[in-house]
Amino acid sequence: MRTAVNIIVGSHVWAEDPAQAWIDGQVVKIKGKDVEIQTSEGKTIVANLSKIYPMDLEAPAGGVDDMTKLSYLHEPGVLQNLRTRYELNEIYTYTGNILIAINPFQKLPHLYDAHMMQQYKGAPFGELSPHVFAIADTSYRAMVHEGKSNSILVSGESGAGKTETTKMLMRFLAYLGGRKATEGRTVEQQVLESNPVLEAFGNAKTVRNNNSSRFGKFVEIQFDKHGRISGAAIRTYLLERSRVCQVNDPERNYHCFYLLCAAPPEEVEKYKLGSPQSFHYLNQSKCFELVGVNDGLEYLATRRAMDIVGISKQEQEAIFRVTAAILHLGNIAFAKGKEVDSSVLKDDKAKFHLKMTAELLKCDPVGLQDALCKRVMITPEEVIKRSLDPLSAAFSRDGLAKTIYSRLFDWLVDKINKSIGQDPNSKCLIGVLDIYGFESFKNNSFEQFCINFTNEKLQQHFNQHVFKMEQEEYKKEAINWSYIEFVDNQDVLDLIEKKPGGIIALLDEACMFPKSTHETFANKLYQTFKNHKRFIKPKLSRTDFTVAHYAGEVQYQSDQFLDKNKDYVVPEHQDLLGASKCPFVAGLFPALEESSKSSKFSSICSRFKLQLQQLMETLNATEPHYVRCVKPNNKLKPSIFENLNILQQLRCGGVLEAIRISCAGYPTRRAFFEFINRFGLLAPEALAGLAGSSFDEKMVCQKILEKMGLSGFQIGKTKVFLRAGQMAELDARRAEVLGSAAAIIQRRIRTHIAHRQINALRNSSIFLQAFCRRSLACRKFDQLKRIAAAIKIEKHVRKWRAWVAYTRLRVSVLAVQTCVRAVEARKRFRFRKETNAAIKIQTRWRCHKHSAYYKRLKKGSLVTQCRWRGRIARRELRKLKMAAQETGALKEAKDKLEKQLEELTWRLQLEKRLRTDLEEAKAQEALKFQNSLEAMQKKLDEANALAVKEREAAKKAIDEAPAVVEEKEIVIEDTKKIESLTAEVDELKAKWESEKKRADELEECSEGRRKKLEETEKKVVQLQETMSRLEEKLNNLESENKVFRQQAVSMAPNKFLSGRSRSIMQRNDSGTFIGESRSSSQDPHSPSMHQRDLAEIDDTPQKSLNEKQMENQELLIRCIAQHLGFAGNRPIAACIIYKCLLQWRSFEVERTTVFDRIIQTIGNAIEKKQDNNDILAYWLSNASTLLLLLQRTLKPSGSASGMAPQRRRSSAALFGRMTSVMSFRGTPQGIELPSFVNGDLSSGVEGGYTKVEAKYPALLFKQQLTAYVEKIYGTIRDNLKKEISPLLGMCIQAPRISRASLAKGSSRSVSSSAQQTLIAHWQGIVKSLGSFLNVLKTNHVPPVLVRKVFSQIFSFVNVQLFNSLLLRRECCSFSNGEYVKAGLAELDHWCFNATDEYSGSAWDELKHIRQAIAFLVIHQKPKKTLDEISHDLCPVLSVQQLYRISTMYWDDKYGTQSVSPDVISNMRSLMTEENTVVSNSFLLDDDSSIPFSVDDISRSMDNIEISDIEPPPLIRENSGFSFLLPRIESH
C-alpha cells in the first residue's frame, strides 16, 4: 500500500500519529525526504515523504457507501470514510461486494424491521444503502437463479457483532425462504431459535464482549427447488473447553452456569445450587452479572427456545442436571493422603459436592472418587492401580468436567440438527459462517493458535476471492492484468499445517511421548524453523514463540499446548459415566470398541484441522459473500470511534489485505465522465471537441494521461484504471494548474486594490492641501481686516461718539428689514411654487382627460368603421365568391377539362330536375292554398258575429307582430343560413304587409281573408319557434361533434378496408353504387341519383385517370406507413399528406377513399404500438400538424349550408349516415353540417394558407383526425401514468427510515443515507419525466400538448400523494413531510430545467400537496391560528382537509404537537355550520379528460412552411409526385 506520491507544498495529506493512527494536515515545507506538516489541530510535525498519503478534498461530506469509489484507496482514506459514516449512524459500508459492519452498541430497530426487509427483497445489489440484508438477498437470488450454493462468511473479533449479524442474516433468509412446517414448527423458526440455546452453552463474557461466541458455527440452510427452506444443519468448531475450568478476571464462564444459578427457586433447590460465588468454576472471576441482563429471564427464554427446537422436557431436565453436576464437580477439593503421592477428599464440603455430583450424574459415588483419585495401568502381567497426588487429581477432575461439557455441547448441536431435519433432496444451500476473528492478547495460548490458524485459512480463501473479483473487473473492462502478482499467505499455512514439519505435526508428535514437556516442544520448534521468515524466537523467553500472521505478529505461550491438545478419555471416566443409570448421561459416553478402551492418543489439532478442511471444501464449493464485523471501541459504548482499534481490526479482518491486493493492480478506477470532469483542465485542448458529435471520452482520457507523462495506466471500456500513486500525481498537477490560475487572479485583484488605494491617497492629499491653503488664506484675510479696521478706527475716532448711536440704530433697522424681507420673499416663493405645481397638475389632468376622451372616440370610430367596412366587405366577398364559382372552372388545367365538363353537365341536369321539382312543389302548394280559401269561404257566414272582435285582435296582432320580427336578433355563424332565413322573413313580411293593407281597406271583408291573416300570424310564430330550435341546435352541436369523433375512431380499420374494397368492386363492375336502401325516388338529392348520373358520363379516359389516382394513393399509403422522420421541427409525413391531398383536390370531391386509407394507416400504427411512446409521439406530432393545416385551410362548402330548413335532419340521422358511407365517402344530400365544424374559418387567405371549400368527406376526415389526436394524447398520458405509478406507490408506501420508533428517546437515530435511498424513488419519477419529455421533444410534439400532458401528470401526482396523506396516518408525519418535501424539490428542479415552454403550469398542479407538506413541516403549530392556517399557509385546502391533516398529524422526529384544541374546535364548528361533512369529501379526483381543443392547437402553433419539404425516396422518383419536389429543384 506504500506508494510514491507527488506531494508539493500546500498539499493536504495524511500523516501517521501514535495516538490517532492518522492525522490530516497541510504540507508547509519539504526538505529532501522529510516533510513539515501543519496539522488540523494546529501542531507542526515532521514526517517521512514515503509515509504520508494524499487527502481527497473532494470526497463527499457523508462519505461513500462503497469504498472502491474512493479516489485514494489507502488506510487513512478507508478509516476516514468509515468514521464519517459511523458518525451519521451509517454502520454498513461496502468494499466492492464485501460488507463492513461497525457495531453501533445501541438498538437501531428501524434498520431491521419488516418494512426494511421488504425494501431489500429483490433489490439489485448496490441500488439501496449498504445493509446486511443486501448481502443475504444477493446470495439468495444467486442461488435461485444460478442453482449454485452460496455462503456468507461473518468474521470479526469478540464484541464486533458477529452473532447479531448472523441472526439478522438468518432472519432475512427465513423471510425470503417462505414457510415449510416440520412437526408443527417451521424450519426457519427452529433455526432462529437455536441461537439462544447455542449462545447459552457456547457464549461467555470476555474482556471485549459480553456475549462472545467461544466456538465457530457454520449454519447450512437448505432450500428446495422452489427456493423455500426445506432443512438446515449446524456445524460447530473448536469449543473453548478450557473455559469450563479456568476463567480470568473480569471474564465469565459460559452463560448456562449463571442462568442455572438464577433459575426458579424450586429448580435451584432441586439441584442444590447457590449463588455463583459459591462455585470454584465461577468464582475465579469477580464478574458474576452482566449490565442490563436478567439471568432469570434469560433462563426461561432458553427453556422456551429448547421447546421450539424440539428438546423434550425430560431432555431439558437432564441437560441442566449435567450442567449442575459440572458446577458441583468443580467444588470437589483434594488433600494429600496417608500414602505417598495419594490424595483424598479435602473436607466434608468436598464430600457433599462429590455426593451431589454422583447423584446428578446417577453414578456410584465411590466409583466417582476412585476415577478421580486413581489410575489403572494394564500390563501384560497384571493390572496395577496407581494413586494420584492432589494436583493430578485436580487435573483429572477438570479433565472430566471439560469432557462432560464438550460432549453435552456436541449433543445439543446434534439434537438441534435432528430436530430441524435435513433435506436429502436439496441441491442448493446457503451457509452462514459465524466464526471467531483474529485474536492477539497479552497471553495467547492454544485456543488463540487454533483461532488464528482458522483465520489464516479463511484469509487465503478471502484473498483468492478478492483477486478473482479483481480479475473479473479487469476482464469486463478488457484491460491487460497478466503481470499483477497475487498476495498469498501460503507460507504461514505451510508453517502451521505442513506435514511432516509443521507446528501442528510437531505438537502431535510431542503429545505422543509421555516425557515431552512444553520446553522440549519449544526447542523443537526453534530448531526446525530457525530460518523461517514467518517464525520468530522471542529473546526474553525460552518457551514462547512468535508467528508473523497476515494481521501481525502474535506471541504464543506454549505452557499448556500439550495438555490442551490431548483429547483422549480416561477409561475410568468412560466406564463410570457409561454405566450411569441416567440414559442421557450414558448416551454422552457410549461404549468404546475393544481397541479403543486403552488411553489411546487423540489430537485436538488434528481433529480441528480435519473439520477446517471440510469447512474449506464446503466454502470452495459455494459462492462466497463476506461480512466483516468491526468493534468501534473497547468500552462497548455508542458514538465512540477509536482509530487504532478499528485499524487493527481492519487488518485482522483482511480488509486492508484486500486493499493491498487492489493496490497491487489498479486501486483507482474512474468512469470516463468523472475523470474528464476532474482532470479535464489539465488538457483543455483535448476538450475542444466536447460540443461536437464526434467527441470520444476514451480518447480524451488517453490524451490527458499522455500529456501528464504517466505510464502503466489502463483504459477500459468505461473506466480509467490508474496505478497506485498516479491519482495523487494527477491531483498535484491539477493543484498546480489551479494554483497558477489562483495566483493570476490574486495578482489582478492585488493590482486593482493597490490602484484603488493610491487613488484614495491622492484624493486625500489634495483634500488636505486645499484645506490647509483655505485655513492660511482665512488667517491672512483676518489679519488684513484687522489692519483696515484699526486704520478706520484711528481715522474716525473723533467721530465715534457721534456715530455710535446712529450705527446701532442703523444695524437694528437693517436687521428688522432683513427679517421682514426674508419672510415676505419666502411667502412669495412658496406661493409661486404652489401655483406652478397646481398648474402642472391641472395641465396633466386635462391632458389625460382629453387624451382618454380622444382614445375612446377613436376606438369607437375604428370599431364602427371596421364593422361597417366588414359588412360591406362581406357583401362584396359573397359577390366575388359567386363570381369565382361561376368562372372558377375555366381556370383549371388542360388535363382536368374533361372532368370539369362532366361535373358541369351533371350539375346542369341536376339543376333542371331541381327546378322541375320546385315548380311542381309550388303548383301543389298553390292548389292547396286555393282549396283552403274555398273552405274558409264556406265558414264566412258563421264568423260574422265575431268579426268586430277579430278585427280588434287583428289590429293588436298588427301592432305587435312587426316588433317581434324586427327586434329578434338571430346570431348564426353560417352566412348561407342567414341569407335563407332573411329571405323567408322578407317574404313573410311582404305577405304580412299586404294582409295589413287589405285589412285596413276592407274592414268588412270575408272570413277567408281574416283566416289568411291568422295563418300569416301563425307562420310568424312558427318562424320564431324555428329560430329557437336553431339556437338549441347550435348549443348542442358541440356535444354531437364529440360523439361524431368517437364514432369515427371506434370503427375498426378492417371495416374501413372491407367497405371500401366492396364499394370499389361495385363501382368497377356496374358503374353504380349499392349502399343505401333508402327510397331515392322520393328524394331528388339521394346518392343513387348521383350514382346514375356519374355512370352516364363515365368513359374510358376517366377510368384510366382513376386507376392512376388509385396507384398514387397506394404509393402514398405505403410511404407514410414508414417512419419518415422530421425536417427541422416539421413532420414529413403530415406535410406530404397535406400537399398530396391539396394537389389531388381531394378536399373538394364528393367521393374518395384516400381519407379512409390514411385514417386506417394511423389506426393500425397506434393499435400495434400502444405501449411504445416513441411511436405514439411520432403519430401525435404528425396528426396534430396535419390537423393544424386542415384547420387553417378548409372552409365549409356552400352546398353543405344552403339547404332549406325542411331538408335538415337530426343529429342521430347524421351519425347513422356516417356509418353507412364510411366505405366510400360522399356528401349525404339533405344533411346540413354546421359551420363551426371547421372552427372560426373566414374566407380568403389566412396566414399564407389558401382557403378551400371542403366537401363532406374532408370534413369527416378532419373530425376523425381530431378524434385520433385526442386518443393518442390520452394513450401517451396513460402510459406515463402507468410508468410512474409503481415509483409513486413506493414513495407513498416507503418506510420512513428517518423516522424512529415511538419509544421515548429513540427519535434521534436518523440516517441521512437512508433518506438518500428513499429519495431515489423521486429521482426515478424525475428520470421518467425527463426521458418522456425527451421523447416528445425528439418527435416535435406541439408544446401546447406537452404542457397539457405534464399538467395532467402532475395533477395525478398531486391527487395520489394528497389522498395518501389523508388516508394513511403513517404518511401524515413530520419525517414524511420532510421526505415528500425533498421529493417535491426534485420535481420543482425538473420543472425549472424543462422551462415554461414544456412544463407550463405543471408545478401549480401540486398546490394541494405542497401546502399540506408546508403545514406538516412548519414548527410551532400550536401557536398558529385558524385564520393564519387557512388564509396564509394553506389557502387552497378546505376546512375538511385541514381538519383531517390536523387530527392525523404526529411528529415522529421531535415529538411536537399539532394545532391547538381551539383551532380543532373552530374547524369542527365551521364544518357543522357549512353542513358539508360527508364521507371522503376531503379527497381529490383525478381528471382524465381531454384538456384542449382544435382551436387551442391552432392558436398556439406557428405557421408551417411546407414548400421546401424533401419527399421520401419511395416517391421522389415517381412522376406522379413531381409536385412534391422543392421549387429550387424544379427550376
Side-chain angles (χ1 to χ4, degrees), residues 1171-1183:
D1171 295 332
N1172 191 332
N1173 288 333
D1174 194 27
I1175 299 296
L1176 293 175
Y1178 170 76
W1179 282 109
L1180 179 60
S1181 178
N1182 279 277

Side-chain angles (χ1 to χ4, degrees), residues 618-632:
T618 302
L619 294 179
N620 290 330
T622 61
E623 184 68 24
H625 306 270
Y626 294 93
V627 180
R628 294 294 189 246
C629 298
V630 178
K631 182 171 64 174

